[in-house]
Amino acid sequence: MSATPQKNRASRRVLAAAAGLATVGALVAAMPAGAQEHGHHKPARTVDVQLLSFNDLHGNLEPPAGSAGTVTETQADGTTKAIPAGGVEYLASSLRTARKGHPYSITAAGGDLVGASPLMSGLFHDEPTIEALNKLDLDVTSVGNHEFDEGATELARLQNGGCHPVEGCYEKDEKFEGADFPYLAANVTNEKTGKPILKPYTVWKKNGVKIGFIGVTLEGTPNVVTANGVKGLKFHDEIETINKYAKELDRQGVKSVVALIHEGGAPASASYNYDCDSSGPGDGISGPITDIAKGITPKVDALVTGHTHQAYVCTIPDPAGNPRMVTSASSFGKVYTDTTLTYDRRTKDIVRTSVKSAGASNPKSANHIVDRDQPRATDMTDLIARWNTLAAPIANRPQGYITADINGRGSKALEKPLGNLIADAQLEGLAPADKGGAVIALMNPGGIRSDLVYASADGKSDGVVTYGEAFTVQPFTNMMNVVDLTGAQLITALQQQVSGSNEASPKILQVSKGLTYTLDMTKTGAARVVTDTIKLNGEAIDPAKTYRVAMNEFLAGGGDGFAALGQGTNKLVGPSDLDLFNAYLAAHSSAAAPLAPPATDRITVIQ
């Protein structure tokens, strides 16, 4: 399943000049200011390489709607402001503007560029997003967990090209070319051969400057992807893998290395311009990336991360105690990171400094908002229009009507209005005896990918929920399962929301109407769930009794750390989550009687 050698692109800015053109004069023209010494044309010892990076685009080619399409910015007076951001037309403009005046510029990404995508990309198995990334001049990316949503064979197709094996080519006389940048998957191997399924690393070269990139996804990818997506694959430790390939690059004479890691952390503030290196109590960053960063060999000079959808630019010391930059650029193309890597031609290594080096007027790395006030990139506008035309007959079909925004992805609350709506839709669809006889439905919060937004892009169909909008909320088309769980297993599952692998970053299941309980977040681990408050329709859950519980196939497989849900028996497979969601919208709303956001009164939270 290995990828074919990377295609050559004569026009790429990353390629070295042809041998016949690599004269002294041509080299000097490409040198930064100050490269000439004592009247002689001599390359400067150091050269500044610009590293532009982003992560977790998730096929959001159009600006994300509602609160999911804003970035929090801290103002000079300490207040915060939500700024509309994102959309590939603006991301392209931002990156192209940032590259000006930088002859040495690399654009890299930290995974999850596709998967869980809005309809315009998801309907076409994310070919539109790969096409857009090619136009963006992306140089390299790591894989993320969502790159495995449709399995390794489909990921290989996104890399190498070729029309979809079932649906064929989407445009007449147009064959899908695949990504003209390498997807790196150093820590993902084929179980049978033991070899990486894609390239583990790549080396960027220009005028003698060489920088290696190693790409990994989180080792826990099988816990956050359906079993079919990771079948036949083995996922290895991030630190061990990166250290192994950094050593290999070092032996090849590549002394400058950047790791692209689809795993991240949580900064103390949600503001993109938060100073991650401030040293006040409770400041800084926590989460898996902190330990990973501390374990990665000093041979690696910078870490581009992702997965947590947070924006941060931090300095975390490497094992030798030297400063090393760790960055992440939010999600959905709303932010990009601009990092300066100072390359020493003599040592062939990066001159390491912290984010804000002493005495420097400019930070070595900073996050920037992809604002929507700048001109749009017309090639991206054309691309979006082309694919939207193909998607329109399906995307624009009305499914239901709402009175106001129903927040899901954009809600910071543990119990989300849209989560309740989805769980209620699943319960209603699977409650009839012949459909499964469900009495409870559970929905994983990570599966809610957007908000349902009242305002429409055209301003003419406010309050209408289209198929495209519903798809954006639930893009996985997970099949629903109804299983038998004992009351004891159900209680354990609720405790697993806030303990074990979910203790540091709780994953609160969204529950259907009738299930109520109290969550005491002042406690730790499983004790946060107050067990004697767990009730179904006012009656205490009986540990010995059996309950029919509806959930998507991801949760029924024990995904997201919910091992207890994977113990269900007597399984019945139902329709997809999206079909049930659309059926509920149709049954409970009309233009004359739109649906109001449901109350959030099922989980009592003590903070």
Side-chain angles (χ1 to χ4, degrees):
M1 247 188 281
S2 344
T4 54
Q6 204 50 38
K7 303 183 194 79
N8 290 321
R9 282 178 85 195
S11 60
R12 296 284 276 180
R13 64 189 186 289
V14 301
L15 295 180
L21 296 175
T23 60
V24 173
L27 283 170
V28 169
M31 287 295 128
Q36 299 180 40
E37 297 172 10
H38 311 299
H40 299 290
H41 296 315
K42 182 181 177 186
R45 173 160 172 181
T46 63
V47 58
D48 281 349
V49 177
Q50 179 188 56
L51 175 63
L52 300 174
S53 55
F54 59 94
N55 50 275
D56 295 274
L57 180 64
H58 290 288
N60 279 264
L61 302 184
E62 294 178 289
S67 54
T70 62
V71 172
T72 304
E73 181 179 70
T74 299
Q75 309 298 296
D77 62 1
T79 59
T80 59
K81 182 179 175 184
I83 298 176
V88 78
E89 296 158 292
Y90 303 108
L91 178 61
S93 291
S94 289
L95 295 176
R96 289 164 184 170
T97 300
R99 288 174 189 140
K100 286 175 184 170
H102 294 276
Y104 293 81
S105 183
I106 311 168
T107 303
D112 274 11
L113 302 183
V114 300
S117 307
L119 185 79
M120 194 194 81
S121 187
L123 189 63
F124 306 107
H125 297 275
D126 283 312
E127 290 182 20
T129 297
I130 297 296
E131 184 186 339
L133 293 168
N134 288 345
K135 288 179 184 292
L136 266 185
D137 284 332
L138 181 64
D139 289 309
V140 59
T141 184
S142 68
V143 292
N145 53 288
H146 281 283
E147 265 82 17
F148 294 93
D149 283 348
E150 295 186 49
T153 304
E154 173 62 4
L155 173 57
R157 186 182 77 87
L158 291 182
Q159 175 72 87
N160 302 324
C163 297
H164 193 269
V166 176
E167 295 172 24
C169 300
Y170 295 112
E171 295 178 290
K172 195 180 177 190
D173 303 324
E174 289 288 335
K175 184 187 168 194
F176 175 57
E177 295 294 332
D180 58 13
F181 51 88
Y183 257 114
L184 304 181
N187 67 330
V188 188
T189 57
N190 181 304
E191 272 183 348
K192 288 179 182 168
T193 66
K195 292 179 180 174
I197 61 163
L198 293 169
K199 290 172 69 169
Y201 60 81
T202 191
V203 180
W204 180 94
K205 299 174 185 176
K206 182 171 182 176
N207 295 340
V209 174
K210 290 192 290 187
I211 299 177
F213 287 85
I214 303 167
V216 298
T217 184
L218 67 153
E219 185 184 6
T221 289
N223 302 326
V224 292
V225 175
T226 57
N228 279 342
V230 293
K231 199 172 179 181
L233 304 178
K234 190 165 173 54
F235 292 78
H236 302 267
D237 181 83
E238 304 95 338
I239 298 171
E240 289 174 12
T241 303
I242 291 168
N243 289 353
K244 169 187 165 183
Y245 286 111
K247 196 180 283 184
E248 191 171 308
L249 283 165
D250 188 52
R251 283 198 299 267
Q252 294 173 17
V254 179
K255 308 293 184 185
S256 299
V257 179
V258 175
L260 308 175
I261 308 173
H262 191 71
E263 179 60 290
S269 164
S271 293
Y272 87 96
N273 56 340
Y274 165 65
D275 180 2
C276 201
D277 287 351
S278 53
S279 54
D283 276 349
I285 186 170
S286 58
I289 200 62
T290 55
D291 287 337
I292 291 172
K294 289 171 186 170
I296 289 175
T297 172
K299 292 181 194 301
V300 173
D301 299 293
L303 314 182
V304 171
T305 72
H307 189 54
T308 57
H309 290 207
Q310 303 293 311
Y312 49 83
V313 174
C314 306
T315 307
I316 300 176
D318 69 16
N322 296 319
R324 181 163 60 190
M325 281 179 278
V326 179
T327 69
S328 175
S330 184
S331 64
F332 301 170
K334 295 182 290 189
V335 169
Y336 72 93
T337 313
D338 189 336
T339 301
T340 302
L341 302 174
T342 302
Y343 182 91
D344 186 321
R345 290 180 178 279
R346 193 177 301 169
T347 64
K348 299 180 181 175
D349 207 349
I350 301 297
V351 180
R352 268 261 226 101
T353 60
S354 60
V355 170
K356 292 186 177 68
S357 44
S361 57
N362 296 313
K364 299 291 282 185
S365 184
N367 275 328
H368 302 275
I369 290 184
V370 176
D371 70 80
R372 298 183 200 163
D373 294 330
Q374 63 186 313
R376 303 178 190 203
T378 54
D379 58 337
M380 295 299 177
T381 306
D382 293 345
L383 179 148
I384 288 168
R386 203 178 88 240
W387 287 103
N388 262 338
T389 300
L390 286 173
I394 295 171
N396 296 336
R397 282 203 312 253
Q399 301 297 312
Y401 302 84
I402 55 176
T403 63
D405 289 359
I406 304 180
N407 285 340
R409 193 77 183 180
S411 169
K412 300 287 191 287
L414 299 180
E415 180 185 353
K416 306 171 194 305
L418 190 50
N420 287 357
L421 179 63
I422 291 168
D424 287 351
Q426 294 176 353
L427 178 62
E428 181 169 297
L430 300 170
D434 62 335
K435 304 289 188 202
V439 294
I440 296 167
L442 304 173
M443 175 65 193
N444 55 309
I448 307 167
R449 304 306 298 187
S450 182
D451 302 333
L452 274 188
V453 179
Y454 179 81
S456 62
D458 61 10
K460 296 172 186 171
S461 50
D462 289 349
V464 178
V465 179
T466 64
Y467 184 89
E469 289 167 333
F471 183 98
T472 299
V473 169
Q474 295 214 276
F476 299 109
T477 322
N478 269 317
M479 302 312 289
M480 291 301 300
N481 292 180
V482 185
V483 298
D484 283 348
L485 288 175
T486 64
Q489 288 169 326
L490 188 58
I491 290 165
T492 300
L494 293 178
Q495 291 171 329
Q496 286 170 345
Q497 301 174 111
V498 288
S499 62
S501 61
N502 292 332
E503 178 156 10
S505 182
K507 291 188 173 76
I508 305 304
L509 294 166
Q510 307 297 289
V511 300
S512 54
K513 193 180 289 184
L515 186 64
T516 55
Y517 70 97
T518 297
L519 203 52
D520 186 349
M521 298 305 285
T522 65
K523 296 185 175 167
T524 56
R528 289 166 165 172
V529 176
V530 185
T531 51
D532 60 10
T533 66
I534 306 172
K535 295 178 180 176
L536 179 60
N537 300 322
E539 281 188 26
I541 291 288
D542 180 349
K545 190 176 168 184
T546 296
Y547 298 85
R548 293 291 282 165
V549 184
M551 65 194 87
N552 59 46
E553 60 189 332
F554 170 66
L555 280 178
D560 266 354
F562 290 102
L565 297 182
Q567 295 166 359
T569 58
N570 194 19
K571 179 169 77 174
L572 183 142
V573 178
S576 74
D577 49 9
L578 181 61
D579 285 346
L580 291 182
F581 186 50
N582 283 330
Y584 188 88
L585 289 171
H588 291 273
S589 70
S590 66
L595 188 69
T600 49
D601 53 5
R602 302 170 192 183
I603 306 171
T604 302
V605 181
I606 300 169
Q607 295 281 17

